Amino acid sequence: MGVPSKDEMAKALLGPPLAHSRPLVLLLREPWLIPILILAVGARLYQLTAASIWGDEGSSLLLAQYAPSGIWFHAARDVHPPLYFVLLHYWTALFGDSILSIRLMSAVPGVLTVFLGTWLVYLTSTRRAALLACLLLALLPTAVRYSQEIRMYSLMCVWLMGATLALVHWVRAPRRARYLAIYVVLMAAGFYTHYFTALCVLAHWLYLLVLRLQAEHPCHCITRPGWWLANVAIVVLYLPWLPGLLDLVRHWEALKVGGDVDWEPAITAGSLPSMLWQLLAQDDGENMPWWLFVSVPLLVLAVCLSTAWSDRSRYRFDLMMVIYSVLPLSVVFAISLVSPIFIERYLTAYALGLAILFALTIDRLARRSRVLAAGLLGVVLVVFGLGLKNNYTVDPNDQFSAMVDYVNQHAVAGDRVVLGDMFWYLTYGYYDRVGVQMLLFTPPSADGTSTRPNEYGFGTLIDQQAGVYLDSLELLPEGNGRAWLVMSREAPDEFPSIPGAWREVARHAGGDTQAVLYDTCHPVCRSR
């Protein structure tokens, strides 16, 4: 017997294009699946606890401390639905609230999403495309990042990728109602996790409309009663949350006052390319040469157009992924022309489609030119590698937690901590080990109006009667004569004026913040 050729070895590993009837068990037998999933696990566990918890994560932890009924009430006044916080509540009850534990609740769904995306491509394309999709989903920088954050974005990826997978099964076998039942449950879970799930619904409807309108072999799934009943079922399951959502809409101005919405700057012509750079490389690209700044967005555009043009299959599954990726980006960009909501983490679930589109394109190129396919794969891996490097670049000694640890070590009974920003207030309590009294500095604005948070947005997490707010440093109770002011490190304008009798004793920085210890006693006080 002769030595097998490269073609024969590739065929032995990757096999022929998949028949649509291949069951899940064959995917589980693939020799490359477990190693790449282990890579996905490693990518999400590496540096998992290195970065300090930040404001959004702190709000997740505060909200998860309530009982489910309290979570339902307060989430209705926040900008996100309740499901993630309810699950986090039970997760911490079972596994504790260490930073490793609570971030694992995002890492686990992150790995599950890689598997679901791989399964989706395995059903609709070739084994090689599935292998490539698995690899790129495992390393997609935005997916890795939000698999390491105590927020709902990784969980949202599971629901939407799972629902898309269920839709594919149903399109191939529309008589099997169980796929629609699974779709209903997953989409309802998505809506209870993040409002941007609506974009996935739009993508799925547009995809089915395209199938119905195609000249050859039109697919009538969009007109089937089962599809309409499934969407009605999703709405019915969502009805319990509707009163809270409508109340939130009515109090939209209250969210603006608290800075919980409309904080994103207005978009520009460069916002879309910048978003693609953020999703793929965790870099906004603003400091790049113009030719480099437009290169990756143009590559993404070419991949989407070529995939849509070349897909002549009956069910247009490749085109479905183009719609899944492009439609949400386009809709959110258009809405942001009026009200800025063009935020990377909100679109992470749809960026998964970009990784899959790269895999499909590389697989398609490999049938014509292995050199071109290898070149494109190399470019994508370099961009992803840059993104992972940016994700992992964390100095554990220059973190907000290090600053709080310094206060923990040097605080004495009766010390107060005055925080100049709501985000720091949400985070500080997690790291506090000495039980200092925490106050939030809320000086009146120039026209005399209060800057205290209202009962919507992050303000819902603060008891309005708990004496947390401090409108002036002169009103700080005398206490033991010591106060820590937490302020910005570079431009500490949260406290524009410090009482003249206060004397700085010490300071310690952590990340972009610093804690400054003051002796607040007047001379008479110190002489006692």
Side-chain angles (χ1 to χ4, degrees):
M1 296 179 63
V3 177
S5 67
K6 292 182 179 180
D7 288 344
E8 291 172 332
M9 289 190 294
K11 185 176 180 179
L13 175 63
L14 301 174
L18 290 169
H20 290 311
S21 59
R22 284 181 180 269
L24 172 61
V25 67
L26 293 182
L27 171 61
L28 297 177
R29 291 174 179 172
E30 292 290 355
W32 44 263
L33 179 63
I34 297 302
I36 298 181
L37 289 180
I38 291 174
L39 175 64
V41 172
R44 285 151 181 78
L45 293 185
Y46 182 68
Q47 294 282 71
L48 181 64
T49 62
S52 291
I53 291 171
W54 69 292
D56 276 10
E57 294 181 295
S59 72
S60 296
L61 294 173
L62 286 176
L63 189 49
Q65 290 177 8
Y66 289 94
S69 60
I71 292 174
W72 186 277
F73 172 81
H74 288 290
R77 297 182 170 210
D78 193 14
V79 293
H80 297 297
L83 180 57
Y84 170 79
F85 307 111
V86 172
L87 295 177
L88 182 60
H89 171 84
Y90 288 110
W91 180 278
T92 55
L94 287 172
F95 304 110
D97 65 350
S98 70
I99 191 169
L100 175 61
S101 169
I102 51 186
R103 283 194 171 148
L104 274 175
M105 188 183 155
S106 294
V108 171
V111 176
L112 179 57
T113 298
V114 175
F115 174 75
L116 291 174
T118 304
W119 186 4
L120 175 63
V121 179
Y122 196 83
L123 284 173
T124 60
S125 189
T126 67
R127 295 173 67 194
R128 178 169 56 201
L131 184 156
L132 291 167
C134 192
L135 175 64
L136 297 183
L137 287 168
L139 300 177
L140 180 65
T142 188
V144 172
R145 174 178 177 178
Y146 293 107
S147 294
Q148 297 184 321
E149 189 162 296
I150 312 164
R151 294 296 276 175
M152 69 291 299
Y153 309 111
S154 180
L155 185 64
M156 180 186 178
C157 291
V158 170
W159 305 140
L160 301 193
M161 189 57 65
T164 304
L165 180 61
L167 180 66
V168 166
H169 275 96
W170 178 70
V171 167
R172 292 173 52 210
R175 295 181 183 275
R176 297 183 179 180
R178 67 175 180 271
Y179 296 131
L180 278 182
I182 295 171
Y183 181 84
V184 168
V185 171
L186 293 173
M187 290 303 295
F191 273 109
Y192 275 101
T193 301
H194 200 281
Y195 296 120
F196 273 33
T197 295
L199 299 171
C200 186
V201 173
L202 291 177
H204 290 167
W205 274 88
L206 179 57
Y207 163 64
L208 293 182
L209 180 61
V210 169
L211 291 187
R212 176 64 182 84
L213 297 178
Q214 64 185 354
E216 297 182 5
H217 307 295
C219 175
H220 296 267
C221 287
I222 197 171
T223 59
R224 283 182 171 270
W227 173 247
W228 288 81
L229 288 174
N231 282 269
V232 170
I234 294 170
V235 173
V236 170
L237 289 174
Y238 200 60
L239 286 178
W241 184 247
L242 195 58
L245 176 58
L246 294 177
D247 181 67
L248 189 66
V249 172
R250 285 195 297 268
H251 291 86
W252 195 253
E253 290 300 321
L255 290 171
K256 290 183 179 180
V257 171
D260 294 276
V261 298
D262 277 359
W263 52 267
E264 182 80 357
I267 63 173
T268 65
S271 296
L272 187 55
S274 181
M275 173 62 74
L276 292 172
W277 271 106
Q278 289 180 51
L279 294 171
L280 301 178
Q282 295 297 287
D283 187 320
D284 59 20
E286 293 179 356
N287 296 320
M288 297 178 181
W290 71 267
W291 59 268
L292 182 59
F293 179 64
V294 302
S295 62
V296 166
L298 288 177
L299 177 61
V300 171
L301 178 62
V303 164
C304 292
L305 291 176
S306 66
T307 301
W309 178 259
S310 61
D311 187 3
R312 295 293 184 266
S313 61
R314 178 177 182 181
Y315 295 115
R316 302 291 186 91
F317 290 129
D318 291 1
L319 178 61
M320 178 190 69
M321 293 314 305
V322 175
I323 296 172
Y324 176 88
S325 302
V326 173
L327 181 66
L329 280 168
S330 303
V331 170
V332 175
F333 184 81
I335 294 174
S336 295
L337 295 172
V338 179
S339 178
I341 52 172
F342 205 47
I343 303 167
E344 175 207 356
R345 52 187 179 272
Y346 293 175
L347 294 165
T348 293
Y350 303 107
L352 300 170
L354 297 178
I356 292 175
L357 290 174
F358 278 125
L360 296 174
T361 302
I362 294 168
D363 176 58
R364 194 166 58 249
L365 274 178
R367 301 170 201 169
R368 303 176 182 176
S369 171
R370 293 186 179 182
V371 174
L372 289 177
L376 178 56
L377 177 60
V379 168
V380 173
L381 290 178
V382 167
V383 173
F384 282 17
L386 173 64
L388 293 175
K389 177 180 180 295
N390 291 334
N391 276 340
Y392 297 145
T393 302
V394 177
D395 182 354
N397 297 316
D398 189 23
Q399 296 289 309
F400 186 89
S401 58
M403 180 200 69
V404 182
D405 286 342
Y406 179 86
V407 178
N408 289 336
Q409 295 168 14
H410 296 86
V412 298
D415 279 7
R416 272 74 52 84
V417 172
V418 183
L419 300 117
D421 189 278
M422 169 68 85
F423 266 28
W424 304 332
Y425 180 88
L426 296 171
T427 307
Y428 193 97
Y430 178 80
Y431 293 107
D432 176 37
R433 299 291 181 266
V434 294
V436 296
Q437 181 184 8
M438 290 172 20
L439 299 170
L440 180 60
F441 189 53
T442 53
S445 60
D447 61 4
T449 57
S450 174
T451 61
R452 292 185 177 187
N454 52 56
E455 296 179 354
Y456 286 83
F458 289 142
T460 190
L461 301 175
I462 299 177
D463 184 351
Q464 305 293 317
Q465 308 301 320
V468 169
Y469 302 128
L470 181 67
D471 293 343
S472 171
L473 291 179
E474 283 80 2
L475 298 177
L476 183 69
E478 185 177 285
N480 70 348
R482 285 165 48 104
W484 299 84
L485 303 188
V486 177
M487 63 186 74
S488 298
R489 185 175 182 177
E490 300 298 331
D493 54 358
E494 293 83 11
F495 302 95
S497 63
I498 307 295
W502 287 26
R503 180 173 59 88
E504 181 180 329
V505 176
R507 69 172 57 209
H508 190 81
D512 59 357
T513 57
Q514 58 183 339
V516 185
L517 174 63
Y518 285 94
D519 179 354
T520 66
C521 276
H522 295 284
V524 175
C525 171
R526 286 194 293 271
S527 66
R528 291 175 184 173

